[in-house]
């Protein structure tokens, strides 16, 4: 077998089941090996930003890495923004980046570039294979690196000759790294703080935002009165009826300050203290009260879920968690179609077990206020602020077989709309809701907030998408996705309700 | 004035007239300054890969840098692939990349990243402003760096507080760097070689591929019998009736070897010896005959045009250049619509002074065989092999006021289709021809060439865009560009002929 086949067999043997890719000439031996090796699903994306975002969505849900297959430095470069988001999400991903043959590098052909340089800012692990004989072992190391708790990006650069020359054999899977165990001192310290009677907030991120961790946090809250919060942009949070409700930190600095007000102790579980998303003149970056004590129960690489369960034991937590409510879906609202009513429609129809890929930006909030009482679901946020995550993450999260609702602002959706084609090709069960306000609406708010003086028409034109208006029905159907436009609550409720009852990709443009 | 305004005034004062951008919060002070400073046109792109490609197209035609305005690391990252192409084209570009305020960096907010790291692989010059007081001077240095011969990418990182804090004044423009003068020794050496009677090829790249340099080369050829050639992917080449015809090096290694056969002396004018685009098992990377003597008349940073003119003097070149022919447009062909007949239609209708932005890939060759005899035009090639250059480069090249024909394969066009929206918004005179073969056709060829054994259906599916078929008429009209589909030569001739007679953006999908 050649190096490419040894790598593919190693990846499969190490538990990697899906490869999202957009290959070129230097990856053709890897592509050709796909028919000789069972166990790897390959999903084509028409742009690498779509490819890496799909791997992020898949990894967040599957809790194991997908591979990506990217074409030299520029192919990797196109995927970097969504790898930035994935890095912030701590999603495990193994990038396979083809490169020129080792002996060809010296000729500085047009596609030659500093692939290492492109990879480094987003990758916790980068390696370029030096020989076909080592590719398999390198692949096993890449998977292990990606699985390092809480999840990392590993980038393996594969020079073309290391793919086509003869290899020995696949490499055995390396042991899966486990999250570090939290020390009993950290648990005792947090327990003492919680029992002190001071106002305490548990701020949680990572795997502890799933049912088990939340249940432990809810039991702690029932006994100690602690608040339970998560970041504005938590990678994945399990929400809905029957689950412990989590307060989500708001977006703007002054809202965060208000949210944190009175907090005397902040107990961090895989999270960092909240800071302002951007800096603004004369507004704080640091949003925790100055006299608040900060304790780390679990760092991001530690097992926050087990730590919360141990903490619950030490504080002799109640059996029943606090903040658990029954299913109470809102009715379909009356009135004009706007982010609030659209969100209520979505909350009404969302089926149990759905995934929300949320890049709704200024228009996405309508559903959140109902989050605790609607059908149990997973919420995936835009973790790194690089817009253009929502559609690809929805696409990857839908693999192999989940219902996904993607909420998206129109500005950000244009970044990686190519992922819609993959949804059609793979017949994925994704309903995309485009909030078409014809603007970078958040920037109109930000332009005022940054104190930029008295902006004129040229400035405002840079935030405006009216000229010409994007037609999302045409864009989506041009890529094979059934699409409709809704200009009223009734129309949206009919379209969205139908989408929730049926399978397959579709898109609804909500005209705001 | 604040730092942003001092920078904007400095850029305008340094001759930068256009800013292609997609700003976010951290760039709002720069955006707000646009209404206070005259002389800067701003062009919005809906994705940064479109933005940087537009700056490349503009720079190749205007011979001076545009600015880009990009949003932190991920905004820059999205633009990297087309900056890779621009680096290969030696296009002058000044990137302005907003970043978090200097004091905010320590909080590692979601959008924080290694901006320097992203910039370095494509930038000859990178600097992060440390103070509002120095931003103006940094901007002047960035423009000077971009203009370093033959043209470079300069990236200025602008932390938000250096934009919003008080500055002193704009900085004066720095002297424009001139290309280095070729030594008389290099000219004499080349002259002696040309007069030796050995078979000689002049391989030209850069500004010398415009009329003046080509005319000198044609005069040298008339006297010495030298061949005149350019790279497969020359950034810009002036072609057409009345101009000296240049042989274009073919794409595949074995074709290049055939093309170079018998060459005893290779005289390089801003070019490098031709190499294979990719490496292939058992095929050469190096394509120049082993016993060929290689002489550098002008390095890329030197004035190749002046060197050719001086060389013409020394060899006592004829007054009239060789390889100049009259206008001889091909007729509109009969027969089925294919890349050859489509190319002939384009050759027939192409108006004088047009620009061809060529990412036609496997389908683009149809027009080249007529290039020497059709209306004089500029040809812009895909310089760095990073697909998704054609539409943005066409968009930027059309600024302020040129007719552009963009030839594009369907696979590559999906990468940066967002640039079509900018064409509609700015009413640019661009006609895009999509060669819709529903595949990455080049990869079907490459899959066989790389000797990847016996590929199966999974491999072939990764190169195939049939499922579902892209509808370019919907995609383009979804972004406000008038679009039609042609399934016959007659239909294409009617649509393309009409597009050449009228102004404004349109797209024609050529069904192959």
């Amino acid at each position: 077998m050649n190096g490419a086949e040894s790598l593919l067999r190693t990846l499969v043997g190490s538990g990697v089941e899906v490869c999202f890719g957009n290959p070129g000439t230097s990856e053709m031996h890897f592509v050709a090996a796909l028919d000789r090796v069972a166990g790897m699903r390959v999903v084509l994306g028409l742009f690498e930003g779509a490819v890496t975002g799909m791997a992020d969505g898949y990894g967040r849900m599957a809790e194991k890495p997908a591979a990506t297959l990217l074409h030299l430095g520029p192919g990797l470069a196109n995927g970097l923004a969504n790898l930035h988001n994935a890095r912030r999400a701590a999603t495990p991903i193994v990038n396979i980046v083809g490169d020129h043959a080792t002996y060809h590098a010296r000729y500085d052909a047009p596609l030659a570039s500093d692939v290492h340089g492109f990879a480094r800012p987003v990758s916790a692990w980068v390696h370029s294979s030096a020989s076909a004989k080592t590719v398999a072992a390198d692949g096993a190391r890449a998977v292990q690196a990606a699985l390092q708790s809480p999840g990392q990006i590993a980038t393996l650069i594969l020079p073309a000759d290391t793919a086509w020359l003869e290899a020995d054999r696949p490499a055995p899977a390396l042991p899966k790294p486990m999250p570090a165990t939290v020390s009993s001192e950290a648990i005792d310290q947090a327990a003492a703080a919680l029992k002190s009677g001071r106002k305490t907030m548990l701020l949680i991120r990572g795997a502890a935002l799933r049912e088990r961790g939340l249940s432990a946090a809810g039991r702690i809250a029932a006994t100690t009165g602690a608040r339970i919060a998560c970041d504005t942009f938590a990678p994945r949070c399990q929400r809905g009826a029957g689950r412990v409700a989590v307060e989500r930190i708001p977006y703007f600095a002054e809202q965060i300050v208000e949210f944190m007000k009175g907090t005397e102790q902040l107990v961090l579980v895989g999270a960092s203290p909240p800071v302002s998303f951007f800096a603004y003149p004369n507004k704080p970056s640091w949003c925790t009260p100055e006299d608040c004590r900060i304790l780390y129960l679990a760092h991001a690489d530690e097992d926050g879920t087990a730590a919360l369960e141990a903490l619950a034991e030490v504080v002799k937590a109640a059996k029943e968690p606090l903040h658990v409510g029954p299913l109470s879906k809102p009715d379909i609202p009356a009135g004009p179609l706007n982010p609030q009513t659209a969100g209520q429609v979505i909350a009404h129809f969302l089926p149990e077990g759905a995934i929300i890929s949320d890049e709704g930006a200024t228009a996405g909030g309508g559903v959140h206020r109902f989050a605790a009482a609607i059908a149990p679901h997973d919420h995936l946020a835009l973790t790194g602020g690089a817009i253009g995550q929502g559609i690809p993450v929805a696409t990857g999260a839908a693999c192999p077989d989940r219902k996904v609702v993607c909420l998206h602002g129109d500005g950000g959706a244009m970044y990686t709309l190519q992922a819609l084609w993959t949804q059609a090709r793979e017949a994925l069960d994704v309903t995309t809701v485009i909030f078409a306000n014809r603007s970078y609406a958040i920037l109109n708010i930000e332009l005022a907030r940054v104190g930029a003086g008295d902006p004129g028409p040229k400035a405002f034109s840079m935030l405006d998408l009216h000229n010409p208006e994007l037609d999302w029905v045409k864009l989506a159907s041009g890529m094979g996705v059934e699409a409709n436009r809704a200009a009223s609550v009734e129309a949206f409720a009919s379209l969205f309700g139908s989408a929730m009852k049926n399978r397959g990709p579709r898109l609804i443009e909500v005209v705001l």
Side-chain angles (χ1 to χ4, degrees), chain A:
Chain A
M1 74 181 65
N2 62 23
E5 185 174 332
S6 79
L7 173 60
L8 187 53
R9 290 189 185 279
T10 301
L11 292 174
V12 171
S14 302
V16 179
E17 296 177 351
V18 183
C19 175
F20 300 95
N22 188 287
T25 300
S26 39
E27 296 76 43
M28 281 300 114
H29 287 86
F30 190 97
V31 169
L34 289 166
D35 287 286
R36 297 196 297 273
V37 178
M40 182 70 82
R41 177 180 183 186
V42 285
V43 178
L44 179 60
L46 295 191
F47 176 67
E48 292 89 351
V51 167
T52 55
M54 291 178 210
D56 184 10
Y58 174 87
R60 289 195 209 180
M61 294 308 303
E63 298 169 52
K64 60 180 180 174
T68 67
L69 184 61
L70 306 170
H71 185 47
L72 298 99
L76 171 60
N78 281 328
L80 287 174
N82 270 333
L83 289 172
H84 166 85
N85 288 325
R87 177 174 74 87
R88 290 292 181 186
T91 305
I93 294 177
V94 175
N95 297 311
I96 309 294
V97 184
D99 199 6
H100 284 312
T102 52
Y103 63 83
H104 195 67
R106 60 180 289 215
Y107 298 113
D108 194 33
L111 264 167
S113 69
D114 179 4
V115 187
H116 268 271
F118 285 132
R120 224 171 273 126
V122 296
S123 307
W125 185 96
V126 189
H127 181 75
S128 184
S129 288
S131 153
K133 306 282 189 193
T134 66
V135 163
D138 295 337
R141 290 196 297 136
V143 175
Q144 192 182 45
L147 286 167
Q148 197 69 42
S149 178
Q152 305 190 135
I153 295 171
T155 300
L156 177 61
I157 302 165
L158 192 64
D161 52 343
T162 69
W164 78 52
L165 289 173
E166 194 63 16
D168 289 333
R169 64 191 76 84
L174 293 172
K176 182 180 171 180
M178 300 307 291
T181 304
V182 168
S183 69
S184 57
E185 289 87 344
I187 292 163
D188 291 342
Q189 188 188 42
L194 281 160
K195 287 190 279 193
S196 70
R198 300 174 74 191
K199 286 187 181 160
T200 304
M201 180 185 291
L202 291 170
L203 180 57
I204 307 177
R205 190 179 174 97
L209 283 175
R210 278 174 251 157
E211 275 189 345
R212 242 186 78 199
L214 288 176
S215 175
R219 292 173 52 220
I220 295 166
T223 295
T224 66
R227 291 169 69 188
I228 305 170
C230 73
D231 293 329
T232 323
F233 301 106
R236 178 180 171 192
C237 184
Q238 292 198 316
R239 317 190 300 193
R243 288 174 173 166
V244 173
V246 182
E247 297 182 70
R248 191 177 180 211
I249 294 179
Y251 178 72
F252 288 118
E254 55 272 33
Q255 298 171 327
I256 306 177
V257 168
E258 185 62 32
F259 181 89
M260 301 297 292
K261 196 177 273 180
T263 305
E264 296 171 298
Q265 302 180 129
L266 181 63
V267 176
L268 298 167
V269 185
S272 301
V275 295
S276 177
F277 198 86
F278 289 107
Y280 304 92
N282 308 315
K283 291 197 172 76
S285 288
W286 180 259
C287 300
T288 305
E290 282 304 329
D291 54 357
C292 178
R293 183 180 165 213
I294 295 172
L295 298 87
Y296 284 83
L297 171 65
H299 290 280
D301 63 320
E302 295 175 326
D303 189 337
T305 304
L308 283 166
E309 289 179 338
L311 180 59
E313 288 306 302
V314 175
V315 301
K316 300 188 171 45
K319 283 255 162 65
E320 292 304 316
L322 206 63
H323 307 307
V324 177
L327 188 68
S328 171
K329 295 185 179 191
D331 293 334
I332 298 172
L337 184 60
N338 57 40
Q340 297 305 310
T341 53
Q344 191 165 337
V345 168
I346 293 164
H348 175 87
F349 284 110
L350 194 77
E352 186 170 342
I355 299 164
I356 296 179
S357 173
D358 183 5
E359 195 176 325
T362 55
V367 73
H368 297 315
R369 63 209 156 113
F370 302 109
I374 60 178
H377 62 281
D378 285 272
H379 180 262
L380 312 182
L382 172 57
T383 44
I387 61 175
Q389 178 198 275
I391 302 176
V393 159
T395 308
C399 297
D401 195 29
R402 289 281 294 260
K403 186 152 200 100
V404 181
V405 174
C406 177
L407 309 179
H408 226 303
D410 49 358
M414 278 302 287
Y415 269 54
T416 47
L417 73 167
Q418 300 94 341
L420 291 170
W421 182 84
T422 301
Q423 293 178 9
R425 181 179 179 90
E426 302 285 327
L428 299 175
D429 194 11
V430 182
T431 298
T432 303
V433 178
I434 300 287
F435 295 105
N437 56 23
R438 322 289 191 202
S439 78
Y440 293 116
I442 183 71
L443 296 184
N444 281 294
I445 300 168
E446 296 284 34
L447 188 57
R449 284 174 50 81
V450 297
D454 192 22
K458 228 162 153 180
F460 283 115
S461 79
M462 291 298 277
L463 321 179
D464 184 80
L465 308 182
H466 276 94
N467 173 26
E469 289 194 351
L470 294 162
D471 182 329
W472 278 96
V473 174
K474 283 185 179 168
L475 290 171
S477 58
M479 287 179 277
V481 170
E482 185 188 326
N484 295 95
R485 184 171 294 118
S488 69
V489 168
E490 295 70 28
F492 180 57
S494 164
L495 290 166
F496 190 78
S498 158
M500 291 305 99
K501 277 188 216 98
N502 297 288
R503 285 188 53 82
R506 65 198 66 203
L507 180 142
I508 306 168
E509 182 179 20
V510 172
V511 180
L512 298 178

